[in-house]
Amino acid sequence: MANLYFIADTHFSDENIIKYENRPFKNITEMNDKIIYQWNCVVKNNDIIYILGDFGADKYEISILNQLNGKKYLVKGNHDRYSNEYYRSVGFIEVYDMPIILNEFWILSHKPMYVNSNMPYANIFGHVHNSPIFNTYSSQHYCVSVERINYTPISMNEIMKKIQSQN
């Protein structure tokens, strides 16, 4: 049976992201290798993974995407600038310009969405990296920016456990 995973803000091969987000890597090769290794340690080929935006620097997407396990879906972020057709052609199963709703409850988005206790939804998102303005999770949201999840995709089961612990 396939497992479901999430990750955001990998920014593969983006040298600037190392200094902007204080990532613990010497260079993009070390960063790319670490994220690819961590990804493939948990995600198997038949698993499904949603990348919630900002996958990577343009010229490296094809070679990196082909090294990553799983059936990959992209909810585009502010740095994912090509057409949906392009992203499908390099190996994403599906690509979304806007947030989507998964299993009638989970809003998957790049940027955090407004949800409150009167709404029947929870939001899984990225974009905010390690900003102290946002908690990693609450009873209605979970941030899957790589800096918050040890540069490793996180499973739906783990997200549900953490969110349920807030109730």
Side-chain angles (χ1 to χ4, degrees), residues 93-110:
I93 303 292
E94 190 53 84
V95 183
Y96 307 94
D97 291 312
M98 304 296 288
I100 63 170
I101 298 178
L102 181 69
N103 298 334
E104 299 179 7
F105 179 74
W106 302 96
I107 301 171
L108 308 183
S109 62
H110 177 59

Side-chain angles (χ1 to χ4, degrees), residues 1-6 42-50 69-73 93 102-103 154-157 160:
M1 174 148 194
N3 293 308
L4 181 59
Y5 291 92
F6 300 91
V42 298
V43 178
K44 304 306 174 212
N45 279 328
N46 65 326
D47 291 335
I48 294 169
I49 182 160
Y50 283 88
N69 291 340
K71 296 173 180 143
K72 297 164 277 296
Y73 293 78
I93 303 292
L102 181 69
N103 298 334
I154 186 168
S155 72
M156 176 59 101
N157 290 339
M160 288 173 56

Side-chain angles (χ1 to χ4, degrees), residues 43-162:
V43 178
K44 304 306 174 212
N45 279 328
N46 65 326
D47 291 335
I48 294 169
I49 182 160
Y50 283 88
I51 298 95
L52 301 184
D54 295 352
F55 178 72
D58 302 337
K59 63 184 176 178
Y60 297 100
E61 289 172 341
I62 296 171
S63 65
I64 289 175
L65 192 65
N66 291 334
Q67 295 177 58
L68 299 169
N69 291 340
K71 296 173 180 143
K72 297 164 277 296
Y73 293 78
L74 176 65
V75 176
K76 287 166 74 173
N78 52 303
H79 290 277
D80 301 313
R81 297 188 176 127
Y82 288 118
S83 71
N84 294 1
E85 291 76 25
Y86 167 78
Y87 288 110
R88 286 186 204 104
S89 77
V90 298
F92 286 99
I93 303 292
E94 190 53 84
V95 183
Y96 307 94
D97 291 312
M98 304 296 288
I100 63 170
I101 298 178
L102 181 69
N103 298 334
E104 299 179 7
F105 179 74
W106 302 96
I107 301 171
L108 308 183
S109 62
H110 177 59
K111 294 180 180 179
M113 303 290 295
Y114 174 75
V115 292
N116 68 46
S117 60
N118 297 318
M119 300 170 76
Y121 300 107
N123 182 210
I124 303 173
F125 62 91
H127 186 66
V128 299
H129 294 268
N130 233 355
S131 171
I133 296 170
F134 293 87
N135 293 327
T136 299
Y137 61 91
S138 74
S139 62
Q140 285 187 279
H141 84 267
Y142 204 105
C143 179
V144 297
S145 291
V146 294
E147 296 86 0
R148 294 174 186 251
I149 58 172
N150 194 30
Y151 303 91
T152 307
I154 186 168
S155 72
M156 176 59 101
N157 290 339
E158 185 66 25
I159 289 173
M160 288 173 56
K161 284 179 197 171
K162 296 261 177 117

